[in-house]
Amino acid sequence: MEIWRWAFIGILFLAAFVVKIEAFKLGRSQPTERISGSAGDVLEDDPVGRLKVFVYELPSKYNKKILQKDPRCLNHMFAAEIYMHRFLLSSPVRTLNPEEADWFYTPIYTTCDLTPNGLPLPFKSPRMMRSAIQLISSNWPYWNRTEGADHFFLVPHDFGACFHYQEEKAIERGILPLLQRATLVQTFGQRNHVCLKEGSITIPPYAPPQKMQTHLIPAKTPRSIFVYFRGLFYDVGNDPEGGYYARGARAAVWENFKDNPLFDISTEHPTTYYEDMQRAVFCLCPLGWAPWSPRLVEAVIFGCIPVIIADDIVLPFADAIPWEEIGVFVNEKDVPNLDTILTSIPPEVILRKQRLLANPSMKQAMLFPQPAQPGDAFHQVLNGLARKLPHDKSAYLKHGERVLNWTAGPIGDLKPW
Amino acid sequence: MKLSVLQQSYLNRRSNSFRSSGPLDSSSDSAIKSPAAIFWLVLHGLCCLISLVLGFRFSRLVFFFLFSTSSTNFYTSPFRSTAELAKTLDVRSVLSTNPVSNIELPLLNKTAMNSRVVVGRHGIRIRPWPHPNPIEVMKAHRIIERVQKEQRFQFGVKDPRRVIVVTPTYVRTFQALHLTGVMHSLMLVPYDLVWIVVEAGGVSNETASLIAKSGVKTIHVGFNQRMPNSWDERSKLESKMRLRALRIVREKKLDGIVMFADDSNMHSMELFDEIQNVKWFGAVSVGILVNAANTDETADQKKDEEENARMPVQGPACNASNMLAGWHTFNTLPFAGKSAVYIDDRATVLPRKLEWSGFVLNSRLLWKDGGDKPEWIRDIDMLDGDIDSPLGLVKDPSVVEPLGSCGRQVLLWWLRVEARADSKFPPRWIIDPPLEITIPSKRTPWPDAPPEFPANEKPVIGIQEPIVKHTTKTRTSRSKHRSKRKHETRTDTQVSTRHSEQN
């Protein structure tokens, strides 16, 4: 009997060994790997049937007329607000009956007031938002029912609903008081920051999908650049001495690695920017004036491991995508040792990150394609909203209860728009 | 470009804010300035005045130290400029006294406590030696190699077969030049390699020492015939040598893909990837680099230029449905009668109709026993006479597979360049024993330093000893030397004073 028992255990070990080898081999030969974040394996979830969204009918001065005045809004990195509106209008999650809706969407384009150079000015945005909310609260009863707790707004500007591009001023203003209970969908994300509300959904900035598709190169082109970056290190116009822009991190990258052959970094604008990213192993995504950047989206699409240098940043869809396993996070104070940090990553880890990046659902989740495709950023936003359901009991106010202070905020905001 | 928008955006954003949005901005902010803000403004003005008087920047850091209430985290690492952390405090103190809504205040305190990110000016951290570290560079290269190996594994050729390279060669001046080129190309090939080098005139140490540095598996075979001096004869002999190599493949039953790499050709790395796609017998396009010799008549020259504007290509020609339809060969008519006959002629060297190097074959075609060999291949041992190109091995030329996207990609280049027949070169390109005569060069870029010889009364022999070795030749060279120097003194009066005394 003893012999049989030992033989049985021996066979078990052998089987386990063989199975592990097979699994190892299988894992190695697969070019992609499944992605599951803290919320689970949710990238490919289908939001249809899990939530219903009602789209308010606002007068066109809030959306269409603004777009007509400046069609450049369709191409800049804040264009997500426009495309989300278009997506929701024709999506199966839309419902025309507000009584059965779980979420309410207000189509207002707050980031479309552009300077001649294409830069959005946020000075009128608080007033515009305020006037829109006044409109929906007086024409429909649903705002007052919850004071906005089941409403969501897209605010893709630099510091979200703080509506300013300068961080100090944005912190000063804080989030618009009227949006205090609503869910914000924004590109900005930094932990413990005034402008990141609890429960916000972080989305990637808009990057034109067709443009990136046309610059794809064959996948067997060997990756020969170690670290790649193109962009400013010093913002000479606004911060000539350095130290404010990017909290000194970009300048530190330049000063420490400008003569390093492994770091292909410069301020040039090459025509082969996308192609070069596909030939690089690591792509730097340091913060600028705001911590987020379209470089993250570009790096993910082109399979280049993003090196994120932005303390406390919250990356898009952080509960669905496990960014720590995909990108490399470097503290701003560790920038002088960036080469040591990157070369000390074991090759198996690098290959795993590349496999995760090669996953098509990962790439799809970062894009806003027109027309919408399953698994893209629009669907991830809806998934995020669906995960917040059902609404908490505190969302629904008792009759006559008022939480919002309609006269809060700077006096300039109270002027009608 | 998105980048330019980004760059310009932040560039102009600030200037915009100063220019146009000033009144707007202040209107959206609190209209009533709090006393703290006024205090700090006055302090700022005071500091500016003091700086003006003193002549250097008077930091408000002093006041920060005096009035600091909340704990901030200091940056203790080396700084590039003095950090004005007082600015940080500015923001916070202003905010704490501003009459903003109650909701924001607790959030603000959270910002001060939990976040390690501080708004304001930061130092630019530079490490003590901001230059590449060679160990890190090597590690990075190893990472890149591993990544590329994985890429090749995923997207490259699956199950690569061994490459059998056949090279005919012989000892001559340019052999080192050509063979080293081929050798380095073969060393870069990522697949298993066997290099069969057939040498005319028997195995020699020259060739053996050259190919020993390759690090690939080599089979060095001698062919008992000297290489003749005319191009025609040479290519005939090379064909025989290649057949000899194919017999070796048959004898040893080598398994893989046979390709012909002539020692003066240039191969691209894509060639080796492309030939892995061959099933039995393939053909690639060869670019012919023909050196058009200088002709006297200008009319001929112009025609030559037109001809040479497009590089002639030898290889398979396909029809619209990507099937083999024929062959592109080199047009020899413009060079009729003007081509080189002997190896050291200065005229143009012409290729054969179809060069061997443009063909690849599966080594199983050469094996003796039937197996799964197709029946259109001729047996090497049954050949009567010699064949001009591998097409002589197939009975039906339509079975040839065109490679390199049907011959559109030129994957290797043919070139024949040889030195004069009487050119000499040191064996193995090693100068041994070292050269005996060293003559200082007459024209040096630096001005002639006065020679470090002692007093002029010393005899000539003693002075010139350090320059010239003690051999029988010395005397004659010295006399030549002297005469040369005599010439020099006539021309160069400045130098001549000392030299003439020596003489």
Side-chain angles (χ1 to χ4, degrees), chain B residues 300-320:
Chain B
D300 269 350
Q301 234 177 16
K302 268 206 201 114
K303 238 194 282 170
D304 276 342
E305 274 166 33
E306 276 167 29
E307 289 289 330
N308 294 336
R310 282 170 280 111
M311 180 185 71
V313 170
Q314 236 185 38
C318 288
N319 59 13

Side-chain angles (χ1 to χ4, degrees), chain B residues 313-448:
Chain B
V313 170
Q314 236 185 38
C318 288
N319 59 13
S321 51
N322 279 350
M323 306 284 282
L324 183 69
W327 300 95
H328 290 299
T329 60
F330 184 71
N331 182 12
T332 54
L333 284 179
F335 302 96
K338 286 186 284 182
S339 66
V341 174
Y342 292 104
I343 287 185
D344 49 359
D345 277 353
R346 293 189 67 209
T348 323
V349 183
L350 296 177
R352 305 272 94 199
K353 268 260 176 269
L354 283 173
E355 282 289 330
W356 280 79
S357 40
F359 293 94
V360 288
L361 32 134
N362 192 335
S363 65
R364 287 174 198 239
L365 287 176
L366 303 162
W367 288 1
K368 223 172 287 208
D369 31 32
D372 46 354
K373 238 175 22 170
E375 71 296 319
W376 43 256
I377 188 81
R378 288 207 185 100
D379 202 281
I380 324 178
D381 288 338
M382 312 307 188
L383 287 172
D384 49 336
D386 294 317
I387 52 177
D388 201 21
S389 84
L391 280 184
L393 286 172
V394 296
K395 294 175 197 153
D396 175 21
S398 63
V399 296
V400 176
E401 305 152 37
L403 298 172
S405 59
C406 210
R408 277 188 278 272
Q409 277 178 313
V410 174
L411 297 170
L412 71 154
W413 294 269
W414 176 97
L415 176 69
R416 290 285 178 265
V417 173
E418 294 299 342
R420 281 166 57 123
D422 57 348
S423 69
K424 305 231 183 313
F425 64 98
R428 278 191 241 167
W429 291 98
I430 292 175
I431 301 174
D432 181 39
L435 294 175
E436 294 165 341
I437 304 163
T438 52
I439 301 173
S441 68
K442 290 227 192 101
R443 284 192 187 76
T444 49
W446 48 89
D448 277 345

Side-chain angles (χ1 to χ4, degrees), chain A residues 28-31 77 115 117 119-120 123 158 164-169 171-175 180 190 192 194 207-208 211 219-224 226 230 232 234-235 237-238 241-244 247-248 251-252 255-257 259-262 269 273-274 289 294-295 298 311-312 331 333 336 339-340 342-343 345 347 350-351 354 410 412, chain B residues 1-18 20-21 24-25 27-31 57 80-81 84 87 91 94-95 98 100-101 103-104 107-108 110-111 114-127 130-133 136-137 139-141 143-144 146-151 153-156 273:
Chain A
R28 216 186 146 263
S29 61
Q30 267 171 351
M77 44 187 174
T115 63
N117 283 324
L119 209 71
F123 304 115
D158 281 8
H164 209 279
Y165 48 77
Q166 257 192 15
E167 192 169 0
E168 291 162 8
K169 293 247 166 52
I171 294 178
E172 237 181 86
R173 296 181 53 93
I175 299 179
Q180 187 198 340
Q190 188 175 305
N192 304 320
V194 177
K211 190 169 172 207
K220 67 182 177 96
T221 317
R223 286 188 189 263
S224 45
F226 193 61
R230 288 288 182 273
L232 290 180
Y234 292 92
D235 187 347
N238 300 309
E241 292 164 354
Y244 279 107
R247 295 196 274 268
E255 296 302 333
N256 281 300
F257 302 111
D259 59 355
N260 196 321
L262 299 173
H269 295 185
Y273 176 62
Y274 289 146
W289 286 109
R295 273 183 195 89
E298 289 159 0
D311 287 347
D312 283 346
N331 289 334
K333 64 175 169 50
D339 59 348
T340 316
L342 292 180
T343 54
I345 304 176
I350 293 181
L351 291 177
Q354 291 192 322
Chain B
M1 215 36 198
K2 205 174 295 160
L3 285 172
S4 60
V5 168
L6 249 179
Q7 187 184 10
Q8 282 193 339
S9 73
Y10 291 112
L11 254 172
N12 295 304
R13 174 174 293 198
R14 295 320 189 246
S15 42
N16 261 340
S17 75
F18 295 137
S20 57
S21 60
L24 272 170
D25 204 14
S27 67
S28 51
D29 284 328
S30 56
R57 228 167 167 177
R80 198 159 169 249
S81 51
E84 290 190 284
K87 196 76 192 268
V91 172
V94 164
L95 284 167
N98 248 352
V100 291
S101 65
I103 302 140
E104 278 172 41
L107 275 173
L108 203 57
K110 232 206 294 180
T111 316
N114 301 344
S115 169
R116 52 200 176 119
V117 174
V118 180
V119 179
R121 193 172 199 167
H122 295 237
I124 299 169
R125 291 179 167 82
I126 304 177
R127 61 189 191 194
H131 296 293
N133 181 348
E136 307 298 339
V137 174
K139 277 201 233 171
H141 279 291
I143 291 177
I144 294 177
R146 183 70 189 83
V147 167
Q148 288 185 0
K149 193 165 129 200
E150 186 70 21
Q151 275 186 287
F153 181 72
Q154 281 178 13
F155 306 108
D273 291 330

Side-chain angles (χ1 to χ4, degrees), chain B residues 10 27 40 79 132 231 253 312 325 344 435 499:
Chain B
Y10 291 112
S27 67
W40 282 109
F79 274 72
W231 286 107
K253 276 207 141 167
D344 49 359
L435 294 175
H499 286 306

Side-chain angles (χ1 to χ4, degrees), chain A residues 392-408:
Chain A
D392 198 39
K393 268 204 289 275
S394 65
Y396 295 96
L397 301 174
K398 291 190 268 291
H399 185 71
E401 187 185 342
R402 285 280 167 268
V403 179
L404 288 183
N405 184 349
W406 285 75
T407 53

